[in-house]
Amino acid sequence: MPHRPAPPTLPNPGARARARAARLLAAGAGSAVLGALLLGTAAPALAAAPERPAPRAAAVRAEAPATVTVTGSGSATATPDVAILSVGVEVTKPTAKEAMAAQNTAAKALLAVLREQGVEDRDIRTDSLSLNPVYTQTTGGESKVSGYQASQTFSAKVRDIDRAGQVIGAVNGSTGDAGRVNGVVFDVADPKDLRAKAREAAYRDAYEKASQHARLSGHRLGRLVSLSEGDSLRPGQGTLPSLPADEQNVPLAPGEIEEQVTVSAVYELL
């Protein structure tokens, strides 16, 4: 019996679908493994990357320059052209009413003689007025009011300085035992120019000190940062001793007036 060739095998659609699914699964598994490997490699690198520090404010702003603070003092002198007198009256009487009445009489006499000597009303000012009891100690140790003391003090500006001694003598002669001469101050009528010279000297002193500090520290002196001025100073008033009632002219020595100014300055050092 003759041999017949086997019939051709027809493709199986189900087998073909299963094979395709197997290939897709294999490809997906490979991709997952590769992704895991890549992720594992990148994670340490990300963890090891240092954080960039935020820029510091000091790096953005320029550093503040060094500074030096100095104090300068200066003075200027001038010949005085006015005399300011401190004069007054003081009386003691048994009663307050009598004390005030006596004080009023003496004060009127003092003011009258000031005007006679050419002192204008605008240059006369009451500085103080007081009425106080006077106490005495009794034999039993108790304090007892024995009278009252009334007083008034005036300041008088004498613009003709050469007549200041004559004015003092006239005041003392017109008020008798009630008169008081407390002191005299010599001054300049307009101290603006004198103060300006003292201020200029104080500024120069401060600048020279700052320049020296800059040289000693190896720097150059920069711009002036701040400048302040302190109170100006004047010499205190002179006091006069008690004068006899017949003294008509008191010798005085005006000398010179000194104005003192202090300043505080801050400079940059370059």
Side-chain angles (χ1 to χ4, degrees):
M1 181 174 188
H3 178 72
R4 291 181 179 179
T9 305
L10 295 175
N12 190 340
R16 196 185 318 176
R18 286 193 296 272
R20 185 178 180 183
R23 287 196 300 272
L24 291 174
L25 288 173
S31 299
V33 172
L34 179 59
L37 290 174
L38 292 175
L39 181 60
T41 305
L46 291 174
E51 295 182 359
R52 291 186 178 180
R56 293 180 301 174
V60 178
R61 297 191 301 267
E63 292 185 1
T67 59
V68 59
T69 303
V70 292
T71 299
S73 58
S75 62
T77 59
T79 302
D81 53 16
V82 295
I84 302 174
L85 311 180
S86 177
V87 294
V89 294
E90 182 180 279
V91 294
T92 301
K93 295 294 181 180
T95 66
K97 183 177 180 179
E98 290 175 329
M100 284 301 294
Q103 183 277 142
N104 290 341
T105 300
K108 288 177 181 179
L110 187 151
L111 293 174
V113 75
L114 286 176
R115 295 184 180 103
E116 290 174 1
Q117 292 295 320
V119 182
E120 300 180 14
D121 287 344
R122 66 188 178 100
D123 293 329
I124 304 173
R125 183 186 66 229
T126 295
D127 289 335
S128 66
L129 175 66
S130 64
L131 174 65
N132 298 299
V134 177
Y135 295 92
T136 56
Q137 197 82 11
T138 64
T139 55
E142 296 180 356
S143 295
K144 182 180 179 181
V145 176
S146 59
Y148 289 85
Q149 185 182 82
S151 65
Q152 185 170 185
T153 303
F154 302 90
S155 63
K157 182 181 293 186
V158 181
R159 297 183 182 273
D160 185 356
I161 195 171
D162 294 333
R163 301 188 66 252
Q166 180 179 336
V167 174
I168 293 174
V171 167
N172 191 60
S174 66
T175 54
D177 293 339
R180 299 290 184 271
V181 179
N182 302 314
V184 58
V185 175
F186 295 103
D187 205 348
V188 289
D190 186 4
K192 180 173 61 177
D193 291 341
L194 183 62
R195 188 172 295 118
K197 292 179 181 179
R199 184 181 296 116
E200 183 178 351
Y203 179 81
R204 286 198 307 266
D205 183 50
Y207 180 82
E208 291 172 0
K209 289 179 180 178
S211 300
Q212 183 182 23
H213 281 296
R215 291 194 304 270
L216 293 175
S217 60
H219 291 81
R220 291 183 296 107
L221 191 64
R223 69 182 183 90
L224 177 66
V225 178
S226 67
L227 179 67
S228 60
E229 180 177 331
D231 295 333
S232 60
L233 301 177
R234 293 284 186 89
Q237 71 175 20
T239 59
L240 296 176
S242 299
L243 304 174
D246 58 353
E247 183 66 56
Q248 296 300 315
N249 196 349
V250 179
L252 299 175
E256 285 186 331
I257 294 300
E258 183 181 32
E259 182 85 10
Q260 299 174 354
V261 173
T262 59
V263 297
S264 179
V266 180
Y267 289 89
E268 285 186 354
L269 294 177
L270 305 177

